Amino acid sequence: MMIEQTEPATPTRERPDAPVTTPGKVGEHTERADGVPKVKGEFEYSSDLWMDGMLWGATLRSPHPHANIWSIDTAEAEEMPGVQAVLTHEDVPGRKVYGMEVPDQPVLAWERVRYQGEAVAIVAADHPETARRALEKISVQYEVLDPLTDPEEAMKEDAPRLHLSGNVLKRINILHGDVAEASASADVVVSGEYEVGMQDQAFLGPESGLAVPDGQGGVDLYISTQWLHLDRDQVADSLGLDPEQVRLTLSGVGGAFGGREDLSMQIHACLLALETGRPVKMAYNREESFFGHVHRHPAKMRYEHGATRDGELLYVKARLVFDGGAYASSSIAVCTNAATFACGPYEVPNARIESHMLYTNNPPCGAMRGFGAVQVCFAHEAQMDKLANELGMDPLELRIKNAVRPGIRFPFGQEVPPPAPVRVILERVGDMPLPEEEEVMGRDLRRLPGGVSNVTHGEGVRRGVGYAVGYKNIGFSAGFDDYSTARVTLSIEEGEPLVRIHTAAAEVGQGLITVEAQIARTELGVERVAVLQADTRVGSAGSTSASRQTYMTGAAVKQACEQVRARIFQKVREEYADEDLAIEDGDIVSGGESVVSLAELLGGEEIEETVEFHHRETEPLDERGQGNAHLQFAFAAHRAVVEVDTELGLVRVVEVATAQDVGKAMNPQALEGQIEGGIAQGLGLALLEEIQIKEGKIQNASFTDYLIPTILDMPSVRAEILELADPEAPYGLKGAGEPPTIASTPAIVAALRDATGRELARVPVKPEQIVGIAEKPPSEPPQPGSRGYSGIGHLDEREEH
Amino acid sequence: MRLRLNINGETREADGVWEGESLLYVLRERLGFPGSKNACEQGECGSCSVYLDGVLVCSCLVLAGQAEGREVVTVEGIAEGEELHPVQRAFVEAGGVQCGFCTPGLIVATHDLLGRNPDPTDAEIREALAGNLCRCTGYEKILDAVRLAAERMS
Ligand code: FES
Ligand code: FES
């Protein structure tokens, strides 16, 4: 039986009126609709939610990366004054596990914990501090087990099995052409091993939300997420409710970058709210946030490239090993993505790629901006530089020579669709003027590596330049039925036409709601547009990920507008005119002459259309790793200029230049913001960002120890935006959010190699690698007295009495 | 503990404050000023920046009790009535806002910078805002916003 979505018996929170905006058309500068409330501090984020009588939830997490649970005793916590509920796995009424691709992660652990930070019990209390103290009163008896932390170990036959299905979560092999034959005829062969550390999305708005019981067994959840409907379905499954009894409303989202695709506190808050009959708010702090979401997969990648003497690529062999961590998250899709992008946007006639995704007892990894393409791009671009070096060829020229072009096939068998301007974007970054050389000696300290730390006045500072190019699939791939839903309503309010747009698509900061409004303005010729708060009262929009929302939800809004327009024109044809109809500034125009105003035509009538837009079908890869797996490809090239203090290993990135094909710049300023912000995250991975893990335990769960780029680290960006239309896409647009994060990292590292002559096969690059103390950072922090550090801090030994 | 302080020009009181609560918590959860943000609660991100007796502070690092009897100005107190302050307007126009979680702290910090130094160089802007993390923008449009605000305010 299909149950209508019920309205809550105890009305929860007032639904605010959607602000009416007057956007520009597609391609025109339009200020973001939520800009003013954000600068005034009035925009409501999920961590700001507040209701009378609400309780605070808190989560007890496993201190061990791997342990058996023998017992959980909550009695003492339950008796604490102010504590309203203490729940464990026994209190999960529905499915006790969840997961986007494979439901393998316990809502609350039982029998076994598989990573440090896994949720074991939850508490609701009337003050957050009371809730935290109650957690300390829960006694869990663990039998600590050895953690399995190396994916290579996890692959072995005799490794302990972390899941019933074994430790191999996914394996993809791509076999293309004849690598054996090609390698026999290669003039030049280069190989290397590359490593990428675990990066964190580090969105600033911590995981948070408010669950409100409806008094009829259902619940409303106000939440920051990337995909409302997927959250809803997983929450409903675990609560043992019908999806209709669980209503989700998007709350203000403080950034996402992939880290909000998986559930965090959603089910927990709902369980506590239903148990206590009161609204429950949960908000992680920064430390908990590091345990509360998945991270970018660390990778180890072994590559071999073979080419002819004049630089034509003959083959690529690659073995990629990804650490998926304790649970599946979206690792299967990441494994596939990495395999398909392993060779880079180059014509590679023969390839053999193995991509392995393993379960370990490390923190679970999943989606982060770039999704598998980031790791392999670091490796294939390092290989291209190595090859250029071996051939004595210019690195840019080698890339241009081998760039893919429409009509040829990627190593996974799909034909390269037009436009694929890889050559053009490489030429563009090559042609951009280099930032002026500036005398290092005597310069303002703030423009030297190390800045006001006053570590160099220019001695030992060398400049380097590096290039890279990368690409990424847009939209969901490999046979997934990817769609988005939009409802568009046109009515007359206060004598003027107004378009309302309702979707479930998550605005996470990227500016989607502004683009939706621009599309309506363009298609319906109506100045005033209101975008309603995203919620589950309308059909799914799919996830705000894979750079897909402007394409997918944009297309759904566009088509819904077209249908509304068609109905208007039908009315016009019946009563007025039928030639050459258009809507301009609220008037119906025929052959350039105004025939009737929308206000007069519609009167009190509302025209509403709902559209579900599905993109073209894609195919899963076959057993040889072949198939038309992806919908659209977006390309970006980067050039980085760095200055390195070669004595101390400190770096100043002077400039990052980029050329990116976006098909259509829907909102130019927002697009630039995506490019600049994406490059900042690429810079972070190149130089700063890594979750450090020792025996399965995170060592740096804070912004004190996990460093993201500040305004001092980030250089200016020179961007050239190409608009080469994709004939298949709405307005010809290409997804734009991820490409900036992909090749920016390898470009910066290439520049560092250029400046230092070192191999630098691992990111983030640490000072000790730059100065050549170690190719990898030391696994132990240096101790006084250890080699190379003994003199530091001992005045007598330095003879500086 | 009972607390009395002046926020954005008005006297406010909170009862039953636990001694361990930060000024940020009291502002957000007890007094209805959720504009200041809580991205780290460790003094690392600047999203909670407010003025305390005219001095820019991270409100997450100030114990609520320390603010007793003092004057606090939050992001909610920066606008001049309904009119946006030029710093706020510049952030919207220049595209310095994406998710906006860093924005309240940056508005207050920029307001402070331009109060001290109406015509800052780029190096001075970078130095002054180095304590405000933003994960979305890459800072370029934030620099644009500060330059625009400085130009308009001079
Ligand atoms: S929340 Fe205060 S500095 Fe981050
Ligand atoms: S706009 Fe999102 S953190 Fe700055």
Side-chain angles (χ1 to χ4, degrees):
Chain A
M1 187 185 72
M2 178 73 190
I3 303 167
E4 278 293 291
Q5 180 157 306
T6 50
E7 281 298 323
T10 45
T12 49
R13 310 185 83 244
E14 260 174 56
R15 215 176 281 287
D17 268 346
V20 175
T21 61
T22 51
K25 291 187 180 165
V26 161
E28 290 175 3
H29 171 78
T30 298
E31 264 178 27
R32 51 182 311 135
D34 54 13
V36 170
K38 282 177 176 174
V39 295
K40 290 171 90 175
E42 287 171 358
F43 184 79
E44 188 177 58
Y45 294 89
S46 55
S47 49
D48 301 337
L49 296 165
W50 201 90
M51 262 183 102
D52 275 335
M54 78 178 187
L55 300 172
W56 289 81
T59 312
L60 180 70
R61 296 178 180 277
S62 164
H64 310 295
H66 196 196
N68 287 322
I69 295 178
W70 291 121
S71 66
I72 306 174
D73 183 355
T74 59
E76 211 185 321
E78 278 162 33
E79 277 158 25
M80 276 179 65
V83 171
Q84 307 294 335
V86 184
L87 305 180
T88 67
H89 65 92
E90 287 175 4
D91 305 299
V92 179
R95 195 172 70 171
K96 288 182 188 287
V97 287
Y98 69 95
M100 289 190 291
E101 290 176 350
V102 184
D104 62 352
Q105 182 156 0
V107 174
L108 292 166
W110 73 94
E111 287 179 6
R112 182 80 83 87
V113 286
R114 295 179 181 82
Y115 74 100
Q116 179 208 21
E118 184 162 349
V120 177
I122 46 176
V123 169
D126 48 20
H127 190 284
E129 186 59 23
T130 312
R132 275 194 289 270
R133 289 182 184 187
L135 298 179
E136 292 166 16
K137 303 284 183 211
I138 299 173
S139 116
V140 185
Q141 243 197 319
Y142 292 105
E143 180 200 10
V144 178
L145 304 171
D146 282 340
L148 182 59
T149 58
D150 181 350
E152 291 284 358
E153 290 295 318
M155 231 181 272
K156 291 185 179 157
E157 279 297 310
D158 57 350
R161 291 178 150 226
L162 300 183
H163 290 269
L164 286 176
S165 56
N167 295 341
V168 178
L169 178 49
K170 183 74 182 172
R171 235 178 214 142
I172 302 262
N173 289 309
I174 290 182
L175 300 168
H176 170 61
D178 189 337
V179 169
E181 198 187 290
S183 63
S185 59
D187 299 322
V188 183
V189 173
V190 292
S191 53
E193 283 192 39
Y194 304 94
E195 216 177 305
V196 174
M198 186 186 285
Q199 191 181 16
D200 191 64
Q201 297 84 355
F203 41 71
L204 285 204
E207 291 88 343
S208 45
L210 177 73
V212 187
D214 71 4
Q216 301 178 330
V219 63
D220 282 80
L221 179 63
Y222 301 84
I223 187 75
S224 43
T225 179
Q226 292 177 229
W227 189 350
L228 287 167
H229 283 78
L230 187 63
D231 280 16
R232 180 198 63 179
D233 293 349
Q234 295 185 82
V235 170
D237 271 347
S238 289
L239 297 179
L241 296 175
D242 291 318
E244 293 76 14
Q245 292 173 281
V246 179
R247 293 160 299 265
L248 267 66
T249 303
L250 189 72
S251 186
V253 184
F257 317 116
R260 294 189 209 270
E261 255 197 331
D262 296 76
L263 296 180
S264 57
M265 41 56 65
Q266 284 88 330
I267 302 173
H268 297 160
C270 291
L271 284 169
L272 291 169
L274 290 172
E275 172 72 19
T276 58
R278 287 169 66 175
V280 173
K281 170 168 168 172
M282 290 184 93
Y284 294 174
N285 63 20
R286 182 53 51 187
E287 182 185 14
E288 187 169 21
S289 177
F290 275 96
F291 297 99
H293 62 257
V294 299
H295 315 288
R296 188 190 301 288
H297 294 84
K300 288 197 175 143
M301 302 166 285
R302 203 163 65 213
Y303 268 77
E304 183 180 309
H305 279 58
T308 63
R309 176 70 50 213
D310 55 3
E312 198 177 305
L313 282 178
L314 290 179
Y315 72 93
V316 173
K317 278 197 266 186
R319 180 175 184 272
L320 319 171
V321 178
F322 293 94
D323 185 347
Y327 295 104
S329 180
S330 51
S331 288
I332 291 175
V334 169
C335 187
T336 307
N337 253 31
T340 55
F341 298 117
C343 296
Y346 302 114
E347 182 168 2
V348 176
N350 306 284
R352 192 164 71 218
I353 313 295
E354 299 167 29
S355 182
H356 307 261
M357 182 62 73
L358 277 300
Y359 281 123
T360 67
N361 290 120
N362 287 323
C365 290
M368 181 173 174
R369 198 175 197 171
F371 204 78
V374 164
Q375 293 92 331
V376 293
C377 188
F378 173 63
H380 66 64
E381 289 305 270
Q383 281 286 98
M384 291 303 277
D385 283 342
K386 221 179 222 184
L387 184 60
N389 192 33
E390 196 67 29
L391 291 162
M393 213 169 154
D394 176 72
L396 205 52
E397 191 190 323
L398 176 70
R399 288 177 167 86
I400 290 171
K401 186 178 178 85
N402 290 286
V404 287
R405 51 190 178 348
I408 66 160
R409 286 186 188 277
F410 288 115
F412 53 96
Q414 186 165 351
E415 195 178 300
V416 179
V422 178
R423 185 197 173 108
V424 179
I425 56 175
L426 283 165
E427 286 170 350
R428 293 289 172 91
V429 289
D431 289 346
M432 286 186 214
L434 280 163
E436 240 172 73
E437 293 265 5
E438 187 190 355
E439 172 61 38
V440 284
M441 300 305 288
R443 218 194 260 178
D444 183 334
L445 279 182
R446 289 171 292 200
R447 289 201 311 283
L448 282 169
V452 290
S453 311
N454 195 15
V455 283
T456 175
H457 288 208
E459 320 79 43
V461 173
R462 259 183 248 148
R463 184 178 263 229
V465 181
Y467 296 90
V469 62
Y471 74 134
K472 173 74 182 46
N473 56 325
I474 307 302
F476 290 155
S477 298
F480 190 90
D481 179 17
D482 191 9
Y483 72 94
S484 179
T485 316
R487 180 177 299 151
V488 170
T489 313
L490 175 63
S491 61
I492 306 300
E493 311 234 334
E494 291 157 2
E496 296 284 331
L498 174 70
V499 182
R500 283 203 180 79
I501 302 171
H502 191 186
T503 79
E507 165 68 55
V508 299
Q510 81 280 41
L512 177 68
I513 55 170
T514 316
V515 167
E516 290 174 22
Q518 289 176 274
I519 292 172
R521 168 85 177 85
T522 307
E523 298 303 325
L524 289 174
V526 166
E527 268 182 24
R528 300 192 311 151
V529 184
V531 178
L532 275 56
Q533 194 63 23
D535 58 32
T536 52
R537 293 179 305 153
V538 61
S540 173
S543 180
T544 296
S545 61
S547 306
R548 65 180 280 290
Q549 281 297 20
T550 302
Y551 189 128
M552 297 300 296
T553 298
V557 170
K558 181 169 188 277
Q559 290 188 357
C561 289
E562 285 164 357
Q563 293 188 6
V564 168
R565 192 175 60 203
R567 280 178 55 192
I568 292 171
F569 286 170
Q570 196 183 341
K571 278 174 93 65
V572 176
R573 279 194 204 98
E574 282 160 11
E575 294 176 44
Y576 299 92
D578 65 356
E579 250 171 73
D580 197 14
L581 295 179
I583 314 175
E584 281 171 21
D585 299 332
D587 277 333
I588 309 291
V589 184
S590 169
E593 297 280 307
S594 167
V595 288
V596 61
S597 72
L598 270 179
E600 192 184 329
L601 183 77
L602 290 182
E605 193 186 344
E606 252 186 22
I607 299 191
E608 181 171 292
E609 288 292 338
T610 304
V611 164
E612 211 173 75
F613 171 79
H614 295 249
H615 72 56
R616 167 172 64 69
E617 257 181 71
T618 57
E619 304 166 356
L621 298 178
D622 65 18
E623 68 289 351
R624 294 177 59 84
Q626 302 292 302
N628 293 315
H630 299 305
L631 170 69
Q632 188 189 50
F633 302 92
F635 305 90
H638 294 83
R639 180 193 69 199
V641 179
V642 301
E643 285 175 351
V644 185
D645 177 345
T646 51
E647 292 167 2
L648 287 174
L650 300 175
V651 176
R652 168 180 176 247
V653 181
V654 178
E655 185 200 81
V656 177
T658 180
Q660 181 173 338
D661 174 29
V662 301
K664 172 80 188 169
M666 301 290 284
N667 180 339
Q669 189 187 60
L671 171 66
E672 286 166 21
Q674 285 299 303
I675 291 174
E676 291 152 10
I679 288 173
Q681 292 182 1
L683 181 148
L685 179 60
L687 296 171
L688 300 167
E689 296 183 33
E690 180 173 11
I691 296 186
Q692 289 157 18
I693 296 171
K694 213 166 126 188
E695 279 152 31
K697 293 189 179 179
I698 298 183
Q699 307 293 302
N700 56 339
S702 74
F703 280 161
T704 313
D705 299 311
Y706 183 94
L707 301 180
I708 66 174
T710 69
I711 197 168
L712 287 172
D713 301 306
M714 190 55 196
S716 64
V717 167
R718 190 193 292 261
E720 212 171 298
I721 292 163
L722 280 73
E723 296 185 87
L724 306 173
D726 175 348
E728 227 183 4
Y731 306 105
L733 74 87
K734 289 183 162 190
E738 288 168 290
T741 309
I742 295 169
S744 44
T745 305
I748 290 168
V749 180
L752 294 174
R753 290 189 196 107
D754 184 44
T756 63
R758 301 208 185 271
E759 172 137 21
L760 309 181
R762 185 185 196 283
V763 282
V765 179
K766 299 287 172 63
E768 51 267 48
Q769 292 165 267
I770 292 174
V771 298
I773 295 177
E775 193 43 49
K776 288 179 185 177
S779 55
E780 295 286 331
Q783 301 298 321
S786 66
R787 199 168 68 88
Y789 297 93
S790 54
I792 299 173
H794 293 269
L795 287 183
D796 42 344
E797 286 174 32
R798 287 162 59 191
E799 292 168 1
E800 284 180 22
H801 312 278
Chain B
M1 174 172 93
R2 157 173 280 205
L3 197 68
R4 210 180 139 92
L5 67 172
N6 183 295
I7 303 174
N8 301 332
E10 281 176 39
T11 302
R12 302 277 174 157
E13 274 180 37
D15 266 329
V17 175
W18 171 62
E19 287 77 0
E21 288 175 14
S22 67
L23 174 58
L24 177 65
Y25 180 88
V26 168
L27 287 170
R28 290 174 49 78
E29 306 295 344
R30 294 196 182 272
L31 295 173
F33 293 92
S36 309
K37 291 290 166 272
N38 53 342
C40 78
E41 295 171 88
Q42 276 191 322
E44 294 289 351
C45 74
S47 72
C48 62
S49 301
V50 301
Y51 284 107
L52 181 63
D53 284 347
V55 177
L56 188 69
V57 297
C58 292
S59 60
C60 69
L61 293 186
V62 177
L63 279 177
Q66 288 176 284
E68 169 67 34
R70 297 170 74 177
E71 276 181 24
V72 175
V73 177
T74 70
V75 65
E76 289 99 333
I78 298 287
E80 289 138 8
E82 281 303 287
E83 279 284 292
L84 290 185
H85 186 276
V87 169
Q88 292 170 314
R89 184 97 285 281
F91 267 75
V92 178
E93 274 178 38
V97 181
Q98 287 188 28
C99 85
F101 211 79
C102 64
T103 307
L106 276 157
I107 296 289
V108 180
T110 304
H111 186 270
D112 175 63
L113 165 68
L114 298 181
R116 290 182 284 114
N117 180 355
D119 187 22
T121 63
D122 280 4
E124 285 166 341
I125 298 173
R126 288 183 191 272
E127 206 175 344
L129 300 184
N132 291 79
L133 297 177
C134 171
R135 190 53 160 168
C136 301
T137 63
Y139 303 104
E140 184 103 8
K141 302 262 180 284
I142 289 174
L143 276 163
D144 289 347
V146 180
R147 293 185 199 117
L148 181 63
E151 192 184 301
R152 290 205 179 139
M153 286 165 68
S154 65

